[in-house]
Short mmCIF file of all heavy atoms in Angstrom, two decimals:
data_model
loop_
_atom_site.label_atom_id
_atom_site.label_comp_id
_atom_site.label_asym_id
_atom_site.label_seq_id
_atom_site.Cartn_x
_atom_site.Cartn_y
_atom_site.Cartn_z
N HIS A 1 194.74 70.46 163.79
CA HIS A 1 194.15 70.65 165.13
C HIS A 1 195.13 70.32 166.25
O HIS A 1 194.90 70.70 167.40
CB HIS A 1 192.85 69.85 165.28
CG HIS A 1 193.02 68.37 165.37
ND1 HIS A 1 192.14 67.56 166.06
CD2 HIS A 1 193.94 67.51 164.84
CE1 HIS A 1 192.50 66.30 165.96
NE2 HIS A 1 193.58 66.25 165.23
N HIS A 2 196.22 69.64 165.93
CA HIS A 2 197.24 69.38 166.95
C HIS A 2 198.19 70.56 167.14
O HIS A 2 198.96 70.58 168.09
CB HIS A 2 198.10 68.17 166.56
CG HIS A 2 197.35 66.87 166.51
ND1 HIS A 2 196.67 66.36 167.59
CD2 HIS A 2 197.20 65.97 165.51
CE1 HIS A 2 196.11 65.20 167.25
NE2 HIS A 2 196.42 64.95 166.00
N GLY A 3 198.17 71.53 166.23
CA GLY A 3 199.22 72.54 166.18
C GLY A 3 198.81 73.89 166.74
O GLY A 3 197.74 74.08 167.33
N ILE A 4 199.70 74.83 166.54
CA ILE A 4 199.50 76.23 166.90
C ILE A 4 199.70 77.04 165.62
O ILE A 4 200.57 76.73 164.80
CB ILE A 4 200.51 76.69 167.98
CG1 ILE A 4 200.17 76.02 169.32
CG2 ILE A 4 200.52 78.18 168.13
CD1 ILE A 4 198.89 76.48 169.96
N THR A 5 198.93 78.10 165.46
CA THR A 5 199.00 78.89 164.23
C THR A 5 200.34 79.62 164.13
O THR A 5 200.72 80.37 165.04
CB THR A 5 197.87 79.92 164.19
OG1 THR A 5 196.64 79.26 164.48
CG2 THR A 5 197.79 80.57 162.82
N GLY A 6 201.05 79.39 163.03
CA GLY A 6 202.31 80.09 162.79
C GLY A 6 202.06 81.42 162.09
O GLY A 6 200.92 81.90 161.98
N PHE A 7 203.11 82.00 161.59
CA PHE A 7 203.00 83.30 160.93
C PHE A 7 203.20 83.18 159.42
O PHE A 7 203.37 84.16 158.72
CB PHE A 7 204.03 84.27 161.51
CG PHE A 7 203.68 84.72 162.89
CD1 PHE A 7 204.06 83.96 163.99
CD2 PHE A 7 202.93 85.87 163.11
CE1 PHE A 7 203.73 84.36 165.27
CE2 PHE A 7 202.60 86.27 164.39
CZ PHE A 7 202.99 85.51 165.48
N GLU A 8 203.16 81.89 158.94
CA GLU A 8 203.37 81.69 157.53
C GLU A 8 202.05 81.55 156.77
O GLU A 8 202.04 81.31 155.57
CB GLU A 8 204.21 80.41 157.30
CG GLU A 8 203.50 79.11 157.67
CD GLU A 8 203.46 78.84 159.17
OE1 GLU A 8 204.10 79.59 159.91
OE2 GLU A 8 202.79 77.89 159.59
N ASN A 9 200.93 81.71 157.46
CA ASN A 9 199.63 81.51 156.82
C ASN A 9 199.42 82.49 155.66
O ASN A 9 199.67 83.69 155.79
CB ASN A 9 198.49 81.72 157.83
CG ASN A 9 198.51 80.68 158.92
OD1 ASN A 9 199.47 80.60 159.66
ND2 ASN A 9 197.47 79.87 159.01
N SER A 10 198.96 81.93 154.54
CA SER A 10 198.61 82.79 153.42
C SER A 10 197.25 83.44 153.67
O SER A 10 196.46 82.98 154.49
CB SER A 10 198.55 81.96 152.13
OG SER A 10 197.60 80.92 152.26
N SER A 11 197.01 84.54 152.99
CA SER A 11 195.74 85.23 153.16
C SER A 11 194.66 84.54 152.34
O SER A 11 194.91 84.09 151.22
CB SER A 11 195.87 86.69 152.71
OG SER A 11 196.79 87.37 153.54
N PRO A 12 193.46 84.46 152.89
CA PRO A 12 192.37 83.83 152.13
C PRO A 12 191.76 84.81 151.15
O PRO A 12 191.98 86.03 151.21
CB PRO A 12 191.37 83.46 153.22
CG PRO A 12 191.56 84.52 154.26
CD PRO A 12 193.04 84.85 154.24
N SER A 13 190.97 84.27 150.24
CA SER A 13 190.13 85.11 149.39
C SER A 13 188.73 85.14 149.99
O SER A 13 188.31 84.19 150.65
CB SER A 13 190.09 84.57 147.96
OG SER A 13 189.56 83.25 147.94
N PHE A 14 188.02 86.23 149.76
CA PHE A 14 186.71 86.44 150.36
C PHE A 14 185.67 86.62 149.27
O PHE A 14 185.95 87.17 148.20
CB PHE A 14 186.70 87.69 151.24
CG PHE A 14 187.58 87.62 152.45
CD1 PHE A 14 188.94 87.85 152.35
CD2 PHE A 14 187.06 87.32 153.69
CE1 PHE A 14 189.76 87.79 153.46
CE2 PHE A 14 187.87 87.27 154.82
CZ PHE A 14 189.22 87.50 154.69
N GLN A 15 184.46 86.17 149.58
CA GLN A 15 183.32 86.46 148.72
C GLN A 15 182.12 86.70 149.62
O GLN A 15 181.80 85.86 150.47
CB GLN A 15 183.06 85.32 147.74
CG GLN A 15 181.92 85.60 146.78
CD GLN A 15 181.77 84.51 145.73
OE1 GLN A 15 182.65 83.70 145.54
NE2 GLN A 15 180.62 84.51 145.05
N THR A 16 181.46 87.82 149.45
CA THR A 16 180.30 88.14 150.29
C THR A 16 179.07 88.35 149.42
O THR A 16 179.16 88.73 148.26
CB THR A 16 180.55 89.42 151.11
OG1 THR A 16 180.79 90.51 150.23
CG2 THR A 16 181.73 89.25 152.04
N SER A 17 177.93 88.05 150.04
CA SER A 17 176.63 88.33 149.41
C SER A 17 175.63 88.52 150.53
O SER A 17 176.01 88.53 151.71
CB SER A 17 176.22 87.18 148.48
OG SER A 17 176.12 85.97 149.21
N ASP A 18 174.37 88.65 150.19
CA ASP A 18 173.36 88.84 151.23
C ASP A 18 173.39 87.68 152.22
O ASP A 18 173.17 86.52 151.84
CB ASP A 18 171.97 88.95 150.61
CG ASP A 18 171.79 90.24 149.84
OD1 ASP A 18 172.61 91.16 150.03
OD2 ASP A 18 170.84 90.32 149.03
N HIS A 19 173.67 87.97 153.47
CA HIS A 19 173.63 86.99 154.56
C HIS A 19 174.68 85.88 154.41
O HIS A 19 174.58 84.86 155.10
CB HIS A 19 172.24 86.34 154.67
CG HIS A 19 171.10 87.29 154.56
ND1 HIS A 19 171.05 88.47 155.28
CD2 HIS A 19 169.98 87.27 153.80
CE1 HIS A 19 169.93 89.12 154.99
NE2 HIS A 19 169.28 88.42 154.08
N GLU A 20 175.69 86.04 153.56
CA GLU A 20 176.66 84.98 153.35
C GLU A 20 178.08 85.54 153.26
O GLU A 20 178.30 86.66 152.82
CB GLU A 20 176.34 84.20 152.07
CG GLU A 20 175.01 83.48 152.11
CD GLU A 20 174.77 82.65 150.85
OE1 GLU A 20 175.62 82.68 149.95
OE2 GLU A 20 173.73 81.99 150.78
N LEU A 21 179.04 84.69 153.67
CA LEU A 21 180.45 85.03 153.61
C LEU A 21 181.23 83.75 153.34
O LEU A 21 181.11 82.77 154.08
CB LEU A 21 180.91 85.67 154.93
CG LEU A 21 182.40 85.92 155.12
CD1 LEU A 21 182.91 86.93 154.11
CD2 LEU A 21 182.69 86.40 156.55
N ASP A 22 182.02 83.73 152.26
CA ASP A 22 182.84 82.58 151.89
C ASP A 22 184.31 82.93 152.08
O ASP A 22 184.78 83.98 151.64
CB ASP A 22 182.60 82.17 150.44
CG ASP A 22 181.24 81.53 150.23
OD1 ASP A 22 180.56 81.28 151.25
OD2 ASP A 22 180.86 81.30 149.08
N ILE A 23 185.05 81.97 152.71
CA ILE A 23 186.48 82.14 152.96
C ILE A 23 187.20 80.99 152.28
O ILE A 23 186.91 79.82 152.55
CB ILE A 23 186.80 82.11 154.48
CG1 ILE A 23 185.83 83.01 155.26
CG2 ILE A 23 188.25 82.49 154.73
CD1 ILE A 23 185.91 84.45 154.89
N SER A 24 188.16 81.29 151.41
CA SER A 24 188.86 80.23 150.66
C SER A 24 190.37 80.40 150.79
O SER A 24 190.91 81.48 150.51
CB SER A 24 188.47 80.29 149.18
OG SER A 24 187.09 80.09 149.00
N TYR A 25 191.02 79.33 151.23
CA TYR A 25 192.47 79.24 151.24
C TYR A 25 192.91 78.31 150.11
O TYR A 25 192.20 77.35 149.78
CB TYR A 25 192.99 78.66 152.57
CG TYR A 25 193.00 79.64 153.72
CD1 TYR A 25 191.90 79.75 154.57
CD2 TYR A 25 194.12 80.42 153.99
CE1 TYR A 25 191.92 80.62 155.65
CE2 TYR A 25 194.14 81.29 155.07
CZ TYR A 25 193.04 81.38 155.89
OH TYR A 25 193.07 82.25 156.97
N PRO A 26 194.08 78.53 149.52
CA PRO A 26 194.56 77.62 148.47
C PRO A 26 194.66 76.18 148.97
O PRO A 26 195.18 75.92 150.06
CB PRO A 26 195.96 78.18 148.15
CG PRO A 26 195.92 79.61 148.57
CD PRO A 26 195.01 79.65 149.76
N GLY A 27 194.12 75.26 148.18
CA GLY A 27 194.21 73.85 148.52
C GLY A 27 193.27 73.39 149.61
O GLY A 27 193.36 72.25 150.07
N CYS A 28 192.37 74.26 150.06
CA CYS A 28 191.45 73.91 151.14
C CYS A 28 190.01 74.12 150.66
O CYS A 28 189.75 74.97 149.81
CB CYS A 28 191.70 74.79 152.37
SG CYS A 28 193.37 74.66 153.04
N PRO A 29 189.08 73.38 151.23
CA PRO A 29 187.68 73.63 150.88
C PRO A 29 187.22 74.99 151.37
O PRO A 29 187.76 75.53 152.35
CB PRO A 29 186.93 72.50 151.61
CG PRO A 29 187.84 72.07 152.71
CD PRO A 29 189.23 72.28 152.20
#
């Protein structure tokens, strides 16, 4: 939260279902 977004961010994986969307980055909840 102290920083600025760089350009090295990896792409997340997505999972969708009825009324729901999950976003997952490696090593993150």
Side-chain angles (χ1 to χ4, degrees):
H1 71 151
H2 295 303
I4 290 292
T5 310
F7 288 86
E8 68 283 353
N9 295 63
S10 58
S11 296
S13 60
F14 295 81
Q15 183 174 345
T16 60
S17 60
D18 290 344
H19 316 311
E20 297 183 358
L21 172 64
D22 289 352
I23 313 298
S24 299
Y25 282 92
C28 301

